[in-house]
Amino acid sequence: MNAEAVTLSQLLLEGDADGSFSFLMDLRDQGWTSVDIYQVVVSGAMQQVGILWEQDDISVADEHLATATCDFMISRFHGQVKKEAAGQRAMFLCVEEERHTLGMRMASFLFEENGWKSRMMGASLPLEHALSAAEKWKPDVICLSVTIMYHVPLLESYVKAFEALPFQPQVMVGSRLLASYDLSSYCSKKTIFITDYRTLVDWINDQSEGNEIGAS
Ligand code: B12
């Protein structure tokens, strides 16, 4: 765990909204990119919160305060760095019952920073509602997030339904589980798997260089 992540985890656990936001802005002034801030510092800080929680060093209430402060902090930070949205659209949601949203929220910010329009549909979106939202908005990419292993089997129905839509959106799956498990049997050959934000931004840049979505 790097020093910046540990410092940020302490600020989040104190519920220090202004201090944590200023901490990120200072890192940016020192030349940190938002990709590295999200990947190394914010993700690292939340992992540290998870470790303390697992070891029973902090309470559930402490962990909720840190999560709420983190959510507010990243939104405020993104407000400072986001750009005018142009053409392509990305929609984000968690499969039903899945409540871990911070990972996909930062992914949505990185899409926006790179000029995409995004719609964050949040936690636990039942498939029928996700499908009707997608049919109306017609995103180029539909990004799914899953964190808890027993939610993984649900991916299959979501991926199948989205990939069958007539406008053929690219389906992307992001998950901490990808570091340890192969989720491809729940998806299709067309599905893209992303484990970290640097890979995500490389993929986004690849799209703006004119490569067709889905081509690899
Ligand atoms: C905050 C938190 C919560 C919050 C989430 C609130 C919120 N709004 O997100 C709350 C309190 C709701 C919660 C609940 C639970 N949690 Co929880 N939680 C965490 C914690 C501490 C941090 C998660 C986090 O935000 N990490 C930071 C983000 C940035 O990381 P990430 O989600 O992995 O995302 C990365 C990649 O996966 C990727 N990514 C993820 N999604 C997407 C999407 C796209 C499109 C892309 C491109 C990339 C991408 O991008 C990120 C790059 O770093 C973790 C600890 C940990 N080590 O992560 C536990 C953790 C994930 N939770 C855990 C558990 C067990 C639970 C509960 C079951 C606890 C309980 N008994 O109730 C419930 C389940 C709730 C549910 N139904 O989903 C376990 C999971 C263990 C396991 N083996 O599966 C963990 C690991 C804690 C632990 N060490 O035991 N949790």
Side-chain angles (χ1 to χ4, degrees):
M1 191 71 54
N2 72 331
E4 286 80 7
V6 173
T7 304
L8 182 63
S9 68
Q10 287 157 353
L11 293 167
L12 296 176
L13 283 164
E14 283 159 18
D16 189 345
D18 289 337
S20 59
F21 170 69
S22 303
F23 185 71
L24 293 198
M25 293 307 289
D26 287 347
L27 290 179
R28 197 170 156 85
D29 291 345
Q30 289 163 30
W32 285 67
T33 61
S34 19
V35 180
D36 285 339
I37 289 177
Y38 291 147
Q39 185 62 58
V40 180
V41 186
V42 181
S43 297
M46 288 311 294
Q47 273 163 23
Q48 173 67 6
V49 169
I51 291 167
L52 296 174
W53 180 32
E54 218 176 345
Q55 293 169 347
D56 231 358
D57 289 338
I58 59 169
S59 67
V60 169
D62 293 329
E63 185 269 334
H64 279 221
L65 175 64
T67 303
T69 309
C70 182
D71 214 351
F72 180 58
M73 170 195 73
I74 55 174
S75 300
R76 206 169 153 194
F77 176 76
H78 177 60
Q80 301 292 313
V81 297
K82 79 171 170 197
K83 294 202 184 111
E84 193 70 22
Q88 305 201 79
R89 298 169 172 209
M91 180 172 130
F92 299 80
L93 60 122
C94 289
V95 298
E96 201 159 356
E97 301 301 333
E98 179 61 63
R99 290 175 53 212
H100 295 88
T101 54
L102 292 177
M104 75 169 177
R105 186 178 295 282
M106 288 187 271
S108 81
F109 290 162
L110 288 169
F111 270 92
E112 285 186 3
E113 237 186 89
N114 284 280
W116 286 53
K117 286 183 187 153
S118 90
R119 276 201 182 165
M120 164 57 60
M121 320 295 286
S124 184
L125 188 64
L127 177 56
E128 54 181 305
H129 298 293
L131 260 183
S132 66
E135 276 161 351
K136 272 192 209 134
W137 198 51
K138 299 193 172 40
D140 299 281
V141 182
I142 299 179
C143 301
L144 300 171
S145 191
V146 60
T147 294
I148 300 289
M149 196 64 202
Y150 50 76
H151 297 152
V152 166
L154 277 175
L155 271 181
E156 197 165 0
S157 52
Y158 280 69
V159 170
K160 210 170 180 180
F162 289 139
E163 288 183 349
L165 284 167
F167 56 94
Q168 296 186 317
Q170 172 64 59
V171 176
M172 178 185 286
V173 173
S175 175
R176 69 190 293 277
L177 297 169
L178 288 167
S180 331
Y181 301 97
D182 177 6
L183 305 186
S184 59
S185 61
Y186 299 97
C187 301
S188 86
K189 288 204 172 77
K190 289 186 266 174
T191 317
I192 296 175
F193 299 96
I194 302 275
T195 48
D196 65 275
Y197 299 136
R198 287 174 194 146
T199 312
L200 174 66
V201 169
D202 286 345
W203 183 85
I204 295 173
N205 289 335
D206 217 26
Q207 308 314 306
S208 14
E209 278 156 22
N211 293 338
E212 203 182 313
I213 285 187
S216 54

